[in-house]
Amino acid sequence: MRIRIALGALPLMALAGCGLTGPAGYGTDERTVTAEVGEEFTLEVPASPVLGENWYLAEPRPDSAVLRYERKGEDIEGGDEGVTGSGGGTQHFDFTAVAPGRTTVKLLYCPHGLCHSAAEVTASPSAAGTASPVPVVTAADTATPVDTDNPTYYVYTITVR
């Protein structure tokens, strides 16, 4: 009887290792991603939209022959009741690897309501409250969103095998 229970549990344990917990997630400190064709993954970034902190998918968009952008979402955790802005959370950008190749994903971090879209910043950096061009953080850089009070681009390098 114990053998049947143990063997009966094997398919469930095997499925648990096959991604039933959701797609792989990468944060701002993991800007180099390798995925297999057909794999789904998420770029997860810290955000507090109630305080005007948002992220946007910027141009140029990823090569659609290599990577398909699925959707943007957010998971916001409640903070102290009655305290505006005490909650935090993440915004996420979901992708599916389509074919072998390499592409980039460019996300724009906008703190303090300084910008309301990536197009706004691209059109005029001064419209975002900055006098100089918007900084770009690549996979080789160590900056995180909390390091800056200005709009910043974060570039992820995606390799699909």
Side-chain angles (χ1 to χ4, degrees):
M1 184 76 157
R2 283 211 263 187
I3 293 174
R4 285 188 191 174
I5 293 172
L7 292 176
L10 283 178
L12 294 177
M13 291 187 319
L15 288 175
C18 293
L20 286 181
T21 58
Y26 301 91
T28 57
D29 58 340
E30 302 171 275
R31 290 187 291 273
T32 301
V33 175
T34 301
E36 300 294 327
V37 172
E39 183 178 343
E40 297 176 351
F41 66 90
T42 298
L43 301 180
E44 300 171 337
V45 292
S48 183
V50 76
L51 294 178
E53 183 178 65
N54 284 290
W55 291 78
Y56 304 97
L57 183 61
E59 298 291 337
R61 296 285 178 116
D63 182 350
S64 61
V66 175
L67 191 65
R68 183 175 56 241
Y69 172 59
E70 301 291 350
R71 72 192 76 61
K72 176 184 176 183
E74 57 185 37
D75 297 313
I76 305 302
E77 299 169 9
D80 296 332
E81 188 173 328
V83 179
T84 302
S86 65
T90 60
Q91 288 181 328
H92 53 89
F93 296 82
D94 300 333
F95 296 90
T96 301
V98 177
R102 178 174 280 174
T103 189
T104 59
V105 174
K106 188 175 182 182
L107 298 181
L108 174 64
Y109 168 67
C110 287
H112 315 299
L114 291 175
C115 46
H116 305 296
S117 72
E120 174 185 319
V121 173
T122 303
S124 171
S126 61
T130 61
S132 60
V134 177
V136 176
V137 178
T138 64
D141 299 316
T142 58
T144 60
V146 295
D147 293 339
T148 181
D149 287 332
N150 296 308
T152 305
Y153 288 109
Y154 286 77
V155 179
Y156 292 77
T157 301
I158 314 297
T159 302
V160 177
R161 303 186 273 170

